[in-house]
Each structure stands twice: as C-alpha cells, then as structure tokens.
C-alpha cells in the first residue's frame, strides 16, 4: 500500500515487551501450542499472566473459564470457537495461516483415534488388521 514499514523478527518475550511499550503499530505473531485440552490452550492466549490478548473486563477469559469444568466436548469446542470469534471480531487476532495435523494412514493399521483434539496416538490405540 506504499506505507513505510519495518519487519522485526526475534524472541517472543522480547517482542512482547516491545509491543507493550508501544514500539510497534501492529504485531503479527504465531502462537503454537501442544495441548490436548483446548480450554487451557486457549486460556494461555487470553490470560494476563501469559499473552494477555483480551478486551477490557476480560470477557474472553471469563467465557473460557465458564467451560473449564465441563466434560462435554461439543460444549467445550463451541466455547473455544466463540472465544476465538470474539478475539477475531475485535481485531485481537487474525488468521494468517491454517495448519492441520497429518496422520499416518494404512489399510492394515487402525489408529482408533477417539479424541479429535489429540496430537498423539497412544500405542494401545493402534490395531493391526488383516
């Protein structure tokens, strides 16, 4: 768009401190996590003790906390989706890229994955077929 810009790469801790001091106009960052519990993984992003990306009054964190005790995966999934939608609609985050985990597939091996949030396959879940 013809505006001058400077790209700065570096450690997340240093860049976040510089962001808090107002040294950037915009920050585009990638946050990766490996957590089989989507509520705690999402809470990491919105908690003031970590990334702290939330609105005044912490409505996103309150929404996530409301689902912490639930074991209903559909409810938990919907809550996390609402939290990220709130963050996206208020320009706290923007989807830069989408990634998906790749899984091993073979006609003779059944991975029997029950938990769609899991990034791991436990050895006792693997079944060999004829």
């Amino acid at each position: 768009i013809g505006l001058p810009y400077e790209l700065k790469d570096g450690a997340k801790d240093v860049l976040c401190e510089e962001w808090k001091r107002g040294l950037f106009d915009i920050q585009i960052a990638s946050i990766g996590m490996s957590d089989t519990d989507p509520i705690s993984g999402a809470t990491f992003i919105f908690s003031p003790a970590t990334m702290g990306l939330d609105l005044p009054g912490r409505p996103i964190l309150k929404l996530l906390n409301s689902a912490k005790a639930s074991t209903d995966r559909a409810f938990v999934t919907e809550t996390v989706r609402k939290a990220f939608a709130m963050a996206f609609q208020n320009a706290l985050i923007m989807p830069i890229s989408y990634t998906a985990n790749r899984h091993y597939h073979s006609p003779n091996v059944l991975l029997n994955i029950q938990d769609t949030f899991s990034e791991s396959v436990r050895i006792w879940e693997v079944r060999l077929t004829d």
Side-chain angles (χ1 to χ4, degrees), residues 46-49 52-63:
F46 302 107
S47 171
L53 299 178
D54 204 342
L55 300 165
R58 305 242 171 250
I60 298 174
L61 191 58
K62 287 176 185 171
L63 175 66

Side-chain angles (χ1 to χ4, degrees), residues 67-112:
K68 277 190 174 179
S70 178
T71 56
D72 180 352
R73 288 305 245 189
F75 174 72
V76 168
T77 300
E78 185 59 29
T79 301
V80 171
R81 285 185 176 148
K82 283 181 187 175
F84 279 102
M86 285 174 64
F88 176 69
Q89 290 162 357
N90 289 281
L92 297 173
I93 60 171
M94 65 177 110
I96 297 172
S97 63
Y98 296 91
T99 60
N101 292 334
R102 304 232 187 285
H103 294 286
Y104 171 82
H105 294 282
S106 167
N108 299 324
V109 177
L110 177 64
L111 297 180
N112 195 27

Side-chain angles (χ1 to χ4, degrees), residues 8-42:
K8 184 162 186 178
D9 191 13
K12 176 184 74 69
D13 306 7
V14 174
L15 293 176
C16 283
E17 283 303 314
E18 291 178 353
W19 170 259
K20 288 176 187 174
R21 291 196 322 256
L23 300 180
F24 302 122
D25 295 320
I26 186 170
Q27 179 184 31
I28 299 173
S30 172
I31 302 169
M33 67 187 82
S34 178
D35 198 327
T36 56
D37 176 10
I39 291 290
S40 65

